[in-house]
C-alpha cells in the first residue's frame, strides 16, 4: 500500500474519534481523485474492526464490505461469477445497496464491528443513495459507513448531514516527485506533476498513458484555438478511437488541470474568464461521461470543441 504523506491530519482525526467514548457511524472521505482516499478507507476500516484477542485475516476481511462499480448486466455477472474479466456498470446501483442491507441483518463475523465502504459514493444512482440514507438514519449496532467521494457536492444533503467529513489535501510537487520515482514512473515526470494539480493518481496515469503529446495539444487548443479543425483531429488520433474509461478519465483530468493552471497564470481577464468557464464545462462533462453511452469519437470531439472555446480568438465579444 502506498505511503501517503497527505494523510497525517486525517489519521489524527480518525484515531482521535476511535479513542473517544462514541465513534461516529458515518464518515465522508472528501478530496479530488488520486489522493489515496480508498487506501485510507481500507486501512482505517481494518483498525476499526480489529479487536484484542481476535486474529485478523491478512487478505480480504469478512467484516469490511466495499461497494464499487459492479457488473454491467447479466452477461457481465456470469463472467464475474466465473472469475473472468467483465464490463462494469457506470454507477453504483440500488440492488447493491439492498444486498448490503440484507447482510446487515446478521452479526459481524469476527468481532462486533463491521465497516461498509462505498467507493465512489458520488456515483450512486439516486435510488441507491435514497436506500443508503435509511441505513445511515438507523445504523445497526456496530456498523460504520465510510463514503469515498471525489465530488461531495453530488451527495444528497441528507447523507452529508449524517456523516462526519475527513478532507484530504492535495500533494505538494516534491511529494509527487518522490512518489512517482518510488513507483518507477517513466517519461516526462516534470510535466506529469504540473498537469496533475496535486493528484498522485492523475500524475501516475499521465506517466503510464504517455500523455505528454496530449498535454501539448490541449495547451495549444486552449491558447490558440483550432480554426481549421486540424488540432481537434489530431487530438482524436492521440486519444484513440477505442480509448477505455481509464484513458478518457486521465485525459479529462489533464485538460481540467491545464485549463486551471492557465487561468491562474494569464494576465488577460477575458481569457481567464473563458478558461474558468471551460474548466467548469470539462468538470461537468467528466461527471456525465461515465453515465451515458458516449461514442468515444463524439466524446473526443466534444472535449476538443470545449477546449478551443477558451482560446482568445475563439472568445465571444462582449459589450
Amino acid at each position: 500500500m502506498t505511503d501517503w504523506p497527505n494523510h497525517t491530519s486525517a489519521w489524527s482525526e480518525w484515531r482521535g474519534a476511535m479513542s473517544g467514548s462514541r465513534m461516529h457511524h458515518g464518515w465522508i472521505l472528501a478530496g479530488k481523485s488520486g489522493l489515496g482516499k480508498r487506501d485510507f478507507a481500507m486501512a482505517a476500516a481494518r483498525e476499526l474492526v480489529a479487536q484484542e484477542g481476535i486474529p485478523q485475516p491478512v487478505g480480504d476481511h469478512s467484516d469490511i464490505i466495499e461497494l464499487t462499480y459492479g457488473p454491467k448486466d447479466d452477461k457481465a455477472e456470469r463472467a464475474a461469477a466465473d472469475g473472468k474479466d467483465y464490463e462494469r456498470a457506470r454507477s453504483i446501483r440500488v440492488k447493491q445497496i439492498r444486498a448490503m442491507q440484507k447482510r446487515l441483518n446478521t452479526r459481524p463475523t469476527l468481532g462486533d464491528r463491521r465497516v461498509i465502504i462505498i467507493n465512489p459514493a458520488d456515483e450512486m444512482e439516486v435510488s441507491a443513495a435514497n436506500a443508503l440514507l435509511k441505513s445511515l438514519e438507523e445504523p445497526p449496532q456496530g456498523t460504520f459507513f465510510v463514503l469515498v467521494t471525489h465530488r461531495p457536492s453530488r451527495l444528497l444533503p441528507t447523507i452529508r448531514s449524517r456523516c462526519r467529513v475527513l478532507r484530504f489535501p492535495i500533494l505538494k510537487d516534491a511529494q509527487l516527485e518522490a512518489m512517482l520515482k518510488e513507483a518507477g514512473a517513466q517519461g516526462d515526470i516534470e510535466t506529469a506533476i504540473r498537469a496533475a494539480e496535486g493528484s498522485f493518481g492523475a500524475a501516475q496515469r499521465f506517466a503510464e498513458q504517455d500523455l505528454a503529446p496530449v498535454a501539448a495539444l490541449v495547451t495549444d487548443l486552449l491558447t490558440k484555438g483550432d480554426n481549421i479543425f486540424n488540432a481537434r483531429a489530431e487530438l482524436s488520433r492521440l486519444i484513440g478511437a477505442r480509448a477505455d474509461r481509464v484513458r478518457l478519465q486521465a485525459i479529462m483530468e489533464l485538460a481540467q488541470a491545464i485549463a486551471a493552471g492557465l487561468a491562474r497564470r494569464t494576465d488577460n481577464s477575458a481569457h481567464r474568464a473563458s478558461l474558468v468557464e471551460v474548466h467548469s464545462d470539462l468538470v461537468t462533462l467528466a461527471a456525465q461521461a461515465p453515465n451515458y453511452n458516449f461514442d468515444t469519437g463524439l466524446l473526443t470531439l466534444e472535449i476538443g470543441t470545449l477546449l478551443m472555446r477558451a482560446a482568445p480568438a475563439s472568445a465571444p465579444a462582449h459589450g
Side-chain angles (χ1 to χ4, degrees), residues 1 6 22 61 90 118 192 194 201-202 239 262 277:
M1 186 174 291
N6 58 327
R22 187 176 180 182
H61 198 298
R90 294 184 172 94
I118 302 180
R194 188 166 60 250
I239 292 176
L262 288 171
E277 182 179 352

Side-chain angles (χ1 to χ4, degrees), residues 54-66:
I54 301 177
Q56 301 293 307
V58 175
D60 292 342
H61 198 298
S62 57
D63 293 329
I64 300 175
I65 303 168
E66 182 181 18

